[in-house]
Amino acid sequence: MAFLHSVPAGIGPAVRRFGPSLLRLAAGVTVLWCLWRQVGAAPFEDGLRAITGQAVVAAVTLTVLTTVCSAWRWRVVARAFGVHIGLPVAIGAYYRSLFLNSVLPGGILGDVHRAVTQGRRAGDVTQGVRAVAWERLCGQVIQAVVTAVVLLALPSPVRPTLPYVLAVIAGIAGCGVLAVAVAARHGRSRPARAARAIAADLRRGLLVASVWPKVTLSSLLVVAGHTATFVIAAQVAGCTAPLGELIALLLVVQIVGGIPLSVAGWGPREGVAAWAFAAVGLGAANGVTVATLYAVLMLAAVAPGAGLLLGDAIRRRRGPGPSGESRGPDPAPLTMEAVRG
């Protein structure tokens, strides 16, 4: 007890504030360290050496298409919640978000920046966060469904156990839906209010006939674009696996790569690529090489986001114009205060 009293008062809030981020960062570093111990640095170097101009052009082109589709999806979801975003503004914000996700720990801070920025512009940060959270969740759910269908149809290292995994996921999802439905009808506690808000968002927003088909279509196009970029990376890296088997492997890599435990996007993606390629006899080193090349191609493809962020910083530094208005969009700086907001 004396030890507890001797701990500085600020330690507890600091742990709650930064602890999850540090744990995610540690997890990503651990995966990369284990990979380095297992395969060495050569596969990462091979991925960097395999870069070609044609591959970069293809990745940039495909990313333009997927970013437009993602921005359209965000615009549709935001409009369902009463937030109106112009498509050019949404595309620019999405490029900023993708770049920040690619260079900052965790892989989600770009989405936080996008949510807070748009929420401030709309005068309601909570509404902005809800729109981005639902937009990203819808994309992940549809990607998971596409992955499950492909893995059931094509050979993959997870195919024998996939029906059992899907049954468990379906059971958990069903229990979650039931819990939300029950909580939404009873009680005034914070969980009950959250459950009612979720139910209302689904009923009045995402499941409306004018919303979910557009969200589904845009998400399918995004999955197709990212998978095509991954296939290009695999072929440029010299992978000779049949296309169907390759697509199944790369969809698994994409799903795991979306887990927010990365170091600037690195970690789980390379780890699962090593496992998946090794499981089908292609070699763990080849999986790491393909994942490395894909990461570099995607970083080049989202580089316009860096230019937009630089422009934002220059406009903030210049300050308001003569009329008192900002010279252009003034997204919120990515500070810890913004992230916590």
Side-chain angles (χ1 to χ4, degrees), residues 13-75:
V15 170
R16 288 193 297 271
R17 186 173 299 173
F18 301 111
S21 298
L22 292 176
L23 286 176
R24 289 195 294 266
L25 181 61
V29 171
T30 301
V31 171
L32 290 174
W33 180 81
C34 291
L35 272 180
W36 176 77
R37 291 291 302 271
Q38 183 70 27
V39 302
F44 295 95
E45 296 171 356
D46 291 341
L48 295 176
R49 282 195 293 264
I51 300 170
T52 65
Q54 293 90 337
V56 172
V57 170
V60 169
T61 303
L62 286 168
T63 301
V64 169
L65 299 176
T66 57
T67 304
V68 170
C69 291
S70 297
W72 178 45
R73 178 179 65 197
W74 178 33
R75 187 167 179 256

Side-chain angles (χ1 to χ4, degrees), residues 26 28 45 51 53 79 102 149 176 190 200-201 223 228 247 309 315:
E45 296 171 356
I51 300 170
R79 182 175 293 178
S102 299
V149 171
R190 181 175 297 179
D201 286 349
V223 172
I247 289 175
L309 288 166
R315 281 189 292 270

